[in-house]
């Protein structure tokens, strides 16, 4: 039934029961705050609706520009118009003025001709779709964007070099051709892989489309007709009933028990009453406006359409989402920075040796070939695949930890996060109202929550009476068939507050059996005038007491006004000043903790006046409602999730600022923030209260904690907001609107922060899209918020974000390690070519063998580093500074190229000279021999011992040296892989627990053996079967690399901040 649906929404969706301080529970707030009808209701910070007479045209124009893909035309003014908290007056004016303004008739409605005219003027009642990126464009961006560009340039240069060589020599080697083809294949394969990984593209409008009503009932020409909702126009008179989706923004002119579910718009899950009365200046607070795409859940109503399509409040938020542009992700910026570095190094080396070769007398075409060869040799062909696979593996690992990543690059962005703007309900809290405290016998006792254990006494007579009243004066019940479900997780049919009471009571006594012993004979439901609920029950037949018992609950001050005694120590005590003060102290304490307080009382009806079978008149009560006995208080709160305080503490240790941004009341928001550790210091208000001073006399600089409500934020200038964000470590924004959330995110980004935002409602989607990483809720989140976000928390838990931050930091660390490992082999790959040019020696390493390393032996070990566990200080570091702490920096290049790489090159040349020496060519004989060595007409080249070598024999020996150099690189890369496991820790501390890395070591060795010893490889790939002893020359160098790096890390650990750390810690 609709009622059942509403009740379940009350349990499953955001629990606004706590946050609204409705008349049922709140009464006057403690500590001198204004009564609920004034302050407790939402402030003007929710001024979302619009002064369409002035601004709707601007909004539509901006939307049209976006729809056409004309982003440049959407100027700053358009963006500002969409963000403004602007006004409308359709809810304030009389019905007569409204009908005159929109030229409509309440009895006849609009004529078909008038409808056609208005459709032509305003367009269909639909949301303008945003521009969509064609799939082929997405594929091309993966094929040609970022790192792929460098590989394409390399491939083109290879083809150019091959063209030059073939123009000079018909029998030119095809190495450059093969290399170019391989580079193209690498780019295409990894590009397609990335495209499929990110196939869940942005479908924000699809979520909005699901919310759009399909049909509506409108008065046309004096007849009520069911029409397509897209044909609704401004001025239409429409009928609404429970179950309908509101087809446009509507001014209610007549209603009967009409309630709407505004959760898609504001996050409130409790049904909101709608009537013809104007009750608030703020359009979202007044009862006489119903909004497009919200749902009618009770009653019926008639209204006049005041806005359609893009001009509605939901349309405005959709426009804000579409107007908000995603910035480039940190990892994309890092890859671009890396490309610049590698390109710079390659071009400088290439041009330098082009000039040197030219100066040494080489033909200019040969010098061009050298130039291209050096540039291509600098391109790490396997790195694109390594980065893509590493990000994918991490994304899959995060999915197992309830963190679903929609965009691969978002994995690392979360690790770079320096500020988290977190929603409260359902993320920091359990999204489940819970009884936190009870007050009876003038004492406060705690109840079981995630952060405390119960301290109440079930044997107390006063507690027994409080328990009875809470169970009997309660219409909530557990849904059917949940006997095996833990009590706190059971679905309930009923109000969120009443559901909390029965969940508190069930573990003490089964409420169904308990209620059966006290049959209900009469009930006055809660209403906002009385602010209490009353029910009358028979007492258990086996108890010997035939009196009826009256039980009442409601706003505490209303309940207290109806009582003359208070139950204490089992006796009814007169409610004098002392007991009233005890009540007031308890009420102030519980209310000050942001908890919703309910009062309870009972009364035994005299048997003589109210015998069994007495007819109770509920319209004109014929039973006492004053002179009752006050039995106690219960306070409710949506308690923090158990893991959240630890998670917030982890964020603090990691240097991440956590800001709460909520639509909740400031007192409740502050209370939860204090419980989870977001606020640990005194606010300016707390200091003023402690010192007994007016707040104006407390200097703003004395407090690093602040709570700001939307009403204040509305009047704050941009610079003042920036100052608040910069000078306060602990911040809570309460009562915020969607526009304000967006403004807060932009303020954080202006300060240089990498911002993560959590949210679950349509109202959160603009901020989710604007953030560096948007994190939506998987359980309570709307479709729109999920589509606008980059990441979805499958368990709606803040602690999962912290897990994501750690994973993000690990992947950034591990990508650094993979790049350091991969780049190191560039030096032993490039240096043979440089020696070949400078010293005229036979080529020590061929192009094909370079491909073996980059796309063969190095690939699996590089990817295995993505599985490396975190170093011990991963969550103790401050967030990385995107401007200075780059993925690839000068220190990493220095280590990879200038230190480890040089050692590897020396190892390769040592093996090269050993193999030549064993075959008769002493090192001194090799210098200057290249021209004769490569001359096919020379068949009598003498070695150091006078032996003559034919061209084919020389080339066979050359291929042996290529293979030896290649194998030596594999051997020294063993040590490089092990030292790259850590950036600071000793390998002995980190351990060798990474099974994938151990497999990588065996894999690269096995692959090298396959290339060397498989029959036919000498013909196809020009590798030769090496003697075992030619594997050994690289071993001392491998040991040297390991010992050298362990000493370097030991110095970094023992002298933090010292010269070695500054120059070599990458």
């Amino acid at each position: 039934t609709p009622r059942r649906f509403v009740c379940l929404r009350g349990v499953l969706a955001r629990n606004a029961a706590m946050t609204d301080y409705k008349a049922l529970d709140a009464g006057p707030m403690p500590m001198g705050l204004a009564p609920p009808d004034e302050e407790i209701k939402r402030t003007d910070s929710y001024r979302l609706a619009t002064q369409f007479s002035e601004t709707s045209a601007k909004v539509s124009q901006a939307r049209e520009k976006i729809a056409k893909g004309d982003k440049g035309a959407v100027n700053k003014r358009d963006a500002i118009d969409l963000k403004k908290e602007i006004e409308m007056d359709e809810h304030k004016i009389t019905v007569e003025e409204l009908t005159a303004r929109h030229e409509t008739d309440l009895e006849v409605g609009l004529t078909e001709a008038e409808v056609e005219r208005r459709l032509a003027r305003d367009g269909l009642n639909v949301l303008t779709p945003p521009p969509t990126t064609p799939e082929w464009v997405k594929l091309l961006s993966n094929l040609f964007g970022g790192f792929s560009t460098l590989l394409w340039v390399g491939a083109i240069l290879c083809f150019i070099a091959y063209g030059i060589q073939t123009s000079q020599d018909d029998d030119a080697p095809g190495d450059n051709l093969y290399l170019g083809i391989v580079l193209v294949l690498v780019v295409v394969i990894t590009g397609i892989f990335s495209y499929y990984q990110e196939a869940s593209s942005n479908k924000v409008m699809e979520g909005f489309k699901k919310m759009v009503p399909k049909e509506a009932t409108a008065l046309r020409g004096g007849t009520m007709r069911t029409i397509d909702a897209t044909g609704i126009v401004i001025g239409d008179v429409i009928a609404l009933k429970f179950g309908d989706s509101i087809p446009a923004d509507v001014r209610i002119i007549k209603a009967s028990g009409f309630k709407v579910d505004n959760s898609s718009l504001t996050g409130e899950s409790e049904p909101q009453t709608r009537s013809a009365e104007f009750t608030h200046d703020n359009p979202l607070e007044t009862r006489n406006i119903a909004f497009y795409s919200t749902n009618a859940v009770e009653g019926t109503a008639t209204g006049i359409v005041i806005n359609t399509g893009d001009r509605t409040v939901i349309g405005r938020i959709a426009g804000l989402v579409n107007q908000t542009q995603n910035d480039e992700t940190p990892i994309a910026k890092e890859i671009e920075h890396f490309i610049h570095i590698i390109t710079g190094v390659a071009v400088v080396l290439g041009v330098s040796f082009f000039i040197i070769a030219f100066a040494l007398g080489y033909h200019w075409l040969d010098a061009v070939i050298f130039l291209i060869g050096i540039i291509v040799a600098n391109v790490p062909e396997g790195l694109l695949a390594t980065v893509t696979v590493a990000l994918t593996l991490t994304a899959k690992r995060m999915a197992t930890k309830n963190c679903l990543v929609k965009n691969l690059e978002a994995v690392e962005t979360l690790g770079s996060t320096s500020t988290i703007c977190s929603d409260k309900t359902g993320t920091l809290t359990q999204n489940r109202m819970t009884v936190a405290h009870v007050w009876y016998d003038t004492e406060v006792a705690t109840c079981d929550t995630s952060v405390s254990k119960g301290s109440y006494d079930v044997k107390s007579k006063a507690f027994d009476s409080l328990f009875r009243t809470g169970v009997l004066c309660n219409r909530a019940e557990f849904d059917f068939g949940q006997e095996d479900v833990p009590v706190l997780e059971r679905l309930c049919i009923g109000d969120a507050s009443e559901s909390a009471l029965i969940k508190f009571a069930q573990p003490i006594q089964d409420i169904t059996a308990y209620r059966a012993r006290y049959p209900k004979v009469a009930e006055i439901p809660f209403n906002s005038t009385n602010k209490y609920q009353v029910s009358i029950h028979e007492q258990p037949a086996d108890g010997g007491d035939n009196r009826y018992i009256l039980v009442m609950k409601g706003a505490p001050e209303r309940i207290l006004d109806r009582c003359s005694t208070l139950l204490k120590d089992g006796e009814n005590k007169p409610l004098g000043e002392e007991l009233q003060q005890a009540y007031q102290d308890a009420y102030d304490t519980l209310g000050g903790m942001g908890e919703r307080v309910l009062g309870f009382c009972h009364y035994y009806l005299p048997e003589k006046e109210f015998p069994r079978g007495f007819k109770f008149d509920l319209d004109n009560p014929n039973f006492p409602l004053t002179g009752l006995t006050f039995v106690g208080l219960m306070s409710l709160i949506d308690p923090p999730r158990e893991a959240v305080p630890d998670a917030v503490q982890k964020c603090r240790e990691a240097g991440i600022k956590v800001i709460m941004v909520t639509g909740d009341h400031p007192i409740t928001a502050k209370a939860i923030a204090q419980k989870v550790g977001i606020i640990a210091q005194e606010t300016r208000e707390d200091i003023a209260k402690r010192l007994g001073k007016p707040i104006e006399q407390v200097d703003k600089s004395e407090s690093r904690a602040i709570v700001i409500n939307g009403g204040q934020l509305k009047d704050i200038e941009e610079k003042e907001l920036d100052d608040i964000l910069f000078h306060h470590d602990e911040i809570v924004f309460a009562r915020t609107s969607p526009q304000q959330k967006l403004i807060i995110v932009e303020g954080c980004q202006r300060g240089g922060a990498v911002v993560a935002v959590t949210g679950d409602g349509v109202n959160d989607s603009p901020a989710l899209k604007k953030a560096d990483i948007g994190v939506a809720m998987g359980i309570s989140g709307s479709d729109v918020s999920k589509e606008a976000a980059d990441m979805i928390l499958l368990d709606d838990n803040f602690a999962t974000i912290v897990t994501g931050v750690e994973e993000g930091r690990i992947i950034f660390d591990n990508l650094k390690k993979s790049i350091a490992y991969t780049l190191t082999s560039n030096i032993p790959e490039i240096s043979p070519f440089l020696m070949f040019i400078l010293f005229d020696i036979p080529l020590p390493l061929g192009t094909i063998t370079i491909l073996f390393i980059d796309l063969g032996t190095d690939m699996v070990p590089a990817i295995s580093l993505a599985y490396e566990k975190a170093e011990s200080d991963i969550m103790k570091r401050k967030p990385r500074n995107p401007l200075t702490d780059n993925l690839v920096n000068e220190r990493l290049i220095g280590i990879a190229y200038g230190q480890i790489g040089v050692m590897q090159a020396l190892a390769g040349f040592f093996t090269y000279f050993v193999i030549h020496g064993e075959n008769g060519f002493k090192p001194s004989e090799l210098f200057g021999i290249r021209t004769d060595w490569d001359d096919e007409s020379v068949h009598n080249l003498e070695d150091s011992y006078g032996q003559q070598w034919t061209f084919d024999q020389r080339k066979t020996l050359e291929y042996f040296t290529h293979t030896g150099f290649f194998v030596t690189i594999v051997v020294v890369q063993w040590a490089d892989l092990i030292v790259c496991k850590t950036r600071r820790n000793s390998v002995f501390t980190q351990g060798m627990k990474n099974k994938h890395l151990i497999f990588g070591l065996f894999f690269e060795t096995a692959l090298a053996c396959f290339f060397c010893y498989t029959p036919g490889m000498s013909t196809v790939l020009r590798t030769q079967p090496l003697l075992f002893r030619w594997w050994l020359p690289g071993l001392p160098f491998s040991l040297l690399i390991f010992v050298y790096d362990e000493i370097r890390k030991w110095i970094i650990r023992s002298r933090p901040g010292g010269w070695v750390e500054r120059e070599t810690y990458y």
Side-chain angles (χ1 to χ4, degrees):
T1 64
R3 171 171 175 74
R4 176 182 171 85
F5 167 74
V6 174
C7 296
L8 292 180
R9 281 301 297 265
V11 174
L12 295 173
R14 172 180 296 185
N15 201 331
M18 177 185 72
T19 67
D20 247 357
Y21 285 88
K22 288 185 150 181
L24 165 64
D25 309 311
M29 280 298 292
M31 301 181 292
L33 291 172
D37 290 340
E38 298 167 22
E39 172 63 23
I40 302 305
K41 288 187 180 290
R42 271 205 279 266
T43 68
D44 285 348
S45 66
Y46 263 91
R47 198 174 298 280
L48 269 177
T50 58
Q51 186 175 349
F52 292 101
S53 56
E54 296 178 11
T55 61
S56 61
K58 293 178 183 176
V59 174
S60 294
Q61 287 163 13
R63 294 293 300 279
E64 285 166 17
K65 291 171 186 174
I66 293 166
K68 291 173 185 172
D70 187 7
K71 295 177 186 174
V74 184
N75 59 29
K76 201 168 184 180
R77 185 178 297 279
D78 294 327
I80 291 169
D81 284 336
L82 282 169
K83 291 179 198 171
K84 276 184 181 173
E85 306 276 348
I86 44 185
E87 303 174 357
M88 62 189 286
D89 66 350
E90 279 89 343
H91 58 304
K92 300 178 182 178
I93 60 178
T94 64
V95 174
E96 291 75 20
E97 288 176 297
L98 189 66
T99 53
R101 177 184 293 183
H102 294 305
E103 299 174 0
T104 189
D105 188 302
L106 297 181
E107 301 300 325
V108 181
L110 299 174
T111 64
E112 288 301 327
E114 182 60 24
V115 169
E116 290 299 324
R117 190 182 71 79
R118 296 187 185 195
L119 281 172
R121 182 192 69 190
D122 300 330
L124 290 173
N125 178 32
V126 293
L127 302 181
T128 304
T132 55
T133 306
E135 293 300 312
W136 64 270
V137 173
K138 294 177 186 174
L139 178 58
L140 288 181
S141 69
N142 276 296
L143 287 175
F144 294 99
F147 193 63
S148 305
T149 310
L150 188 61
L151 297 192
W152 279 114
V153 171
I156 291 166
L157 290 175
C158 285
F159 294 137
I160 292 171
Y162 178 69
I164 292 171
Q165 287 175 317
T166 52
S167 67
Q168 291 181 302
D169 183 0
D170 290 338
D171 295 327
D175 292 10
N176 282 312
L177 175 64
Y178 305 145
L179 180 55
I181 292 170
V182 169
L183 287 175
V184 171
L185 288 174
V186 168
V187 175
V188 171
I189 291 168
T190 52
I192 292 172
F193 181 73
S194 297
Y195 169 73
Y196 278 110
Q197 284 298 320
E198 296 173 11
S200 56
S201 57
N202 191 357
K203 299 175 186 173
V204 174
M205 284 306 297
E206 294 303 315
F208 280 107
K209 285 176 187 172
K210 290 179 186 176
M211 300 161 57
V212 174
K214 301 291 186 295
E215 292 182 336
T217 305
L219 184 63
R220 295 277 173 88
T223 306
M224 276 291 181
R225 282 189 273 172
T226 300
I227 62 171
D228 192 315
T230 60
I232 290 288
V233 296
I234 294 173
D236 259 328
V237 178
I238 62 173
L240 302 166
K241 64 182 186 301
F242 72 88
D244 285 350
S245 188
I246 311 299
D249 285 355
V250 179
R251 162 75 183 268
I252 304 296
I253 55 175
K254 187 166 59 178
S256 174
F258 191 59
K259 291 186 176 181
V260 293
D261 172 14
N262 272 355
S263 61
S264 65
L265 182 63
T266 63
E268 299 166 295
S269 59
E270 282 207 349
Q272 307 294 304
T273 300
R274 288 294 176 261
S275 64
E277 290 81 34
F278 161 57
T279 56
H280 204 289
D281 282 341
N282 185 341
L284 268 190
E285 301 295 350
T286 188
R287 290 186 173 181
N288 62 351
I289 298 282
F291 296 102
Y292 182 44
S293 86
T294 59
N295 296 306
V297 293
E298 284 185 34
T300 59
T302 303
I304 298 173
V305 173
I306 56 175
N307 282 299
T308 58
D310 292 341
R311 297 170 176 80
T312 60
V313 173
I314 283 285
R316 185 172 174 73
I317 295 175
L320 196 56
V321 173
N322 295 334
Q323 177 267 323
T324 303
Q325 296 297 316
N326 288 97
D327 294 327
E328 196 177 23
T329 60
I331 192 70
K333 293 175 184 172
E334 289 304 325
I335 288 173
E336 187 178 349
H337 177 256
F338 172 52
I339 291 170
H340 291 159
I341 289 178
I342 290 295
T343 305
V345 169
V347 170
V348 168
L349 276 175
V351 171
S352 300
F353 280 91
F354 171 79
I355 295 168
I356 291 169
F358 203 65
L360 290 174
Y362 286 96
H363 189 271
W364 71 270
L365 279 176
D366 289 334
V368 169
I369 297 290
F370 295 155
L371 167 70
I372 292 172
I374 291 171
I375 290 175
V376 172
N378 269 282
V379 176
E381 292 86 357
L383 202 54
L384 175 61
T386 301
V387 170
T388 305
V389 172
L391 289 172
T392 305
L393 292 173
T394 305
K396 289 183 175 178
R397 188 163 65 230
M398 289 172 77
T400 65
K401 299 180 180 180
N402 293 315
C403 203
L404 184 65
V405 179
K406 291 171 57 186
N407 178 347
L408 284 183
E409 292 181 351
V411 174
E412 192 282 322
T413 306
L414 196 54
S416 306
T417 298
S418 56
T419 298
I420 299 175
C421 293
S422 176
D423 189 22
K424 179 183 71 67
T425 307
T427 308
L428 298 172
T429 63
Q430 297 176 20
N431 195 16
R432 185 168 56 205
M433 291 296 284
T434 305
V435 178
H437 294 93
V438 291
W439 180 79
Y440 63 91
D441 283 339
T442 66
E443 297 289 337
V444 173
T446 58
C447 303
D448 290 324
T449 67
S450 60
V451 291
S452 62
K453 296 294 179 187
S455 63
Y456 48 82
D457 180 10
V458 293
K459 297 177 183 177
S460 162
K461 204 166 185 180
F463 179 83
D464 185 59
S465 298
L466 181 61
F467 173 88
R468 179 174 57 200
T469 307
V471 172
L472 300 182
C473 190
N474 190 324
R475 304 175 77 179
E477 57 188 65
F478 291 114
D479 200 3
F480 177 73
Q482 296 191 89
E483 291 76 14
D484 298 331
V485 179
V487 171
L488 289 178
E489 295 176 18
R490 293 184 189 177
L491 297 181
C492 296
I493 301 171
D495 171 83
S497 300
E498 295 194 331
S499 300
L501 297 182
I502 63 172
K503 287 181 179 180
F504 165 69
Q506 180 68 20
I508 300 172
Q509 281 195 59
D510 181 71
I511 63 160
T512 306
Y514 192 86
R515 285 171 172 173
R517 296 177 60 219
Y518 290 87
K520 186 189 292 185
V521 295
E523 182 179 45
I524 300 177
F526 170 84
N527 66 62
S528 57
T529 305
N530 296 332
K531 296 186 181 177
Y532 61 73
Q533 176 184 346
V534 178
S535 61
I536 299 170
H537 301 258
E538 295 177 5
Q539 294 201 75
D542 56 3
D545 190 341
N546 290 325
R547 291 177 296 173
Y548 288 110
I549 182 169
L550 177 150
V551 289
M552 179 187 288
K553 83 166 187 298
E557 76 289 345
R558 295 293 181 96
I559 301 298
L560 193 72
D561 287 345
R562 296 183 174 275
C563 295
S564 57
T565 58
L566 184 145
L567 185 62
K568 186 175 187 297
D569 300 328
E571 298 177 13
N572 291 346
K573 303 283 181 74
L575 199 56
E577 279 189 24
E578 185 180 342
L579 290 179
Q580 286 202 30
Q581 188 58 48
Y583 152 83
Q584 192 62 45
D585 291 344
Y587 182 45
D588 288 350
T589 300
L590 298 174
M593 290 191 287
E595 296 176 8
R596 174 194 270 179
V597 187
L598 297 175
F600 298 83
C601 67
H602 70 203
Y603 183 74
Y604 291 96
L605 299 174
E607 190 176 359
K608 288 184 180 179
E609 297 177 41
F610 304 94
R612 289 291 171 102
F614 180 84
K615 297 294 182 187
F616 293 98
D617 186 349
L618 302 179
D619 295 322
N620 298 296
N622 56 354
F623 49 90
L625 290 173
T626 56
L628 314 179
T629 301
F630 196 87
V631 296
L633 300 169
M634 289 192 189
S635 64
L636 297 86
I637 199 164
D638 181 7
R641 290 179 179 270
E642 203 164 346
V644 169
D646 284 343
V648 172
Q649 181 58 33
K650 270 190 177 181
C651 285
R652 285 189 183 284
E653 291 172 358
I656 299 169
K657 180 189 285 190
V658 181
I659 298 175
M660 182 191 287
V661 184
T662 178
D664 210 339
H665 190 276
I667 290 178
T668 309
K670 181 182 175 184
I672 293 295
Q674 288 174 325
K675 286 185 178 179
V676 299
I678 290 176
I679 287 185
Q681 306 174 57
E682 287 183 311
T683 64
R684 196 170 165 221
E685 290 79 5
D686 294 333
I687 294 170
K689 185 178 177 184
R690 174 168 54 80
L691 299 176
K693 292 181 179 179
I695 192 168
E696 293 77 17
Q697 294 181 17
V698 178
D699 193 281
K700 289 182 181 180
S701 62
E702 287 187 40
S703 174
R704 303 284 291 177
I706 191 170
V707 178
I708 300 174
N709 70 47
Q712 296 169 305
L713 188 57
K714 183 168 52 112
D715 302 321
I716 287 176
E717 293 295 325
E718 191 176 280
K719 187 176 185 307
E720 189 178 349
L721 176 62
D722 293 347
D723 287 342
I724 288 169
L725 292 168
F726 182 77
H727 291 111
H728 292 85
D729 301 321
E730 302 171 356
I731 307 174
V732 170
F733 290 101
R735 286 297 194 231
T736 52
S737 70
Q739 283 87 339
Q740 289 174 334
K741 289 186 178 183
L742 185 57
I743 288 164
I744 291 163
V745 171
E746 289 177 338
C748 293
Q749 290 173 330
R750 277 195 306 276
V754 176
V755 184
V757 171
T758 71
D760 56 4
V762 174
N763 53 335
D764 296 318
S765 51
L768 287 170
K769 191 166 182 189
K770 178 61 182 171
D772 294 288
I773 180 163
V775 184
M777 303 297 111
I779 299 172
S780 63
S782 66
D783 289 336
V784 180
S785 66
K786 290 177 186 175
E787 294 302 341
D790 304 293
M791 190 174 287
I792 298 170
L793 300 186
L794 300 179
D795 59 356
D796 288 16
N797 192 344
F798 180 83
T800 306
I801 299 175
V802 180
T803 303
V805 170
E806 187 168 354
E807 287 290 344
R809 289 189 172 191
I810 291 171
I811 194 57
F812 189 78
D813 256 23
N814 288 349
L815 279 177
K816 269 183 174 281
K817 295 168 184 177
S818 287
I819 290 171
Y821 171 78
T822 306
L823 290 186
T824 302
S825 59
N826 268 14
I827 292 299
E829 289 171 4
I830 296 168
S831 55
F833 209 60
L834 303 183
M835 296 289 282
F836 172 70
I837 298 168
L838 291 176
F839 300 107
D840 239 11
I841 62 173
L843 186 64
L845 186 67
T847 306
I848 298 296
T849 38
I850 290 175
L851 281 181
F852 292 167
I853 298 164
D854 289 349
L855 296 175
T857 57
D858 272 2
M859 281 281 285
V860 172
I863 291 169
S864 75
L865 285 167
Y867 291 94
E868 191 61 35
K869 69 176 184 177
E871 293 185 53
S872 53
D873 65 337
I874 192 83
M875 289 299 281
K876 298 285 192 290
R877 306 174 197 158
K878 290 182 179 179
R880 74 178 184 87
N881 183 336
L883 300 177
T884 57
D885 189 5
N886 300 113
L887 185 64
V888 178
N889 52 32
E890 296 82 357
R891 295 181 298 281
L892 187 147
I893 294 291
I895 281 282
Y897 279 16
Q899 297 172 43
I900 308 296
V902 169
M903 294 182 207
Q904 292 193 346
L906 290 174
F909 280 111
F910 182 58
T911 304
Y912 169 79
F913 287 124
V914 165
I915 294 173
H916 269 300
E918 287 194 16
N919 282 278
F921 288 94
K922 294 180 180 178
S924 59
E925 294 287 335
L926 293 172
F927 291 93
I929 204 177
R930 183 185 71 85
T931 306
D932 289 338
W933 185 280
D934 289 336
D935 191 338
E936 292 183 34
S937 63
V938 177
H939 292 286
N940 57 353
L941 183 67
E942 290 189 358
D943 62 18
S944 303
Y945 301 100
Q947 300 175 97
Q948 293 186 343
W949 290 72
T950 66
F951 177 78
D952 289 338
Q953 289 172 332
R954 296 197 301 273
K955 282 299 170 184
T956 301
L957 177 57
E958 183 179 314
Y959 296 149
F960 266 106
T961 60
H962 288 186
T963 309
F965 208 111
F966 158 67
V967 163
T968 302
I969 292 176
V970 170
V971 170
V972 290
Q973 281 288 71
W974 294 343
D976 190 32
L977 182 64
I978 293 170
V979 301
C980 283
K981 279 170 58 70
T982 63
R983 292 166 62 204
R984 184 185 295 270
N985 286 359
S986 166
V987 171
F988 297 104
T989 304
Q990 187 81 350
M992 290 292 288
K993 296 175 184 175
N994 184 347
K995 295 175 183 176
H996 301 90
L997 185 139
I998 294 170
F999 170 76
L1001 287 169
F1002 282 104
F1003 175 83
E1004 67 175 333
T1005 308
L1007 195 60
C1009 292
F1010 174 81
F1011 286 145
C1012 291
Y1013 302 114
T1014 303
M1017 281 293 173
S1018 59
T1019 306
V1020 179
L1021 299 177
R1022 303 179 192 159
T1023 52
Q1024 300 294 327
L1026 290 185
L1027 299 175
F1028 173 73
R1029 65 175 181 270
W1030 290 342
W1031 283 73
L1032 304 180
L1035 288 176
F1037 292 89
S1038 195
L1039 182 62
L1040 171 67
I1041 289 169
F1042 178 79
V1043 172
Y1044 170 82
D1045 208 64
E1046 277 293 301
I1047 293 171
R1048 181 183 68 84
K1049 290 173 190 168
W1050 174 76
I1051 295 171
I1052 287 174
R1053 291 193 304 274
S1054 55
R1055 298 185 180 179
W1059 181 84
V1060 173
E1061 179 172 0
R1062 291 196 307 273
E1063 295 300 322
T1064 69
Y1065 179 68
Y1066 58 85

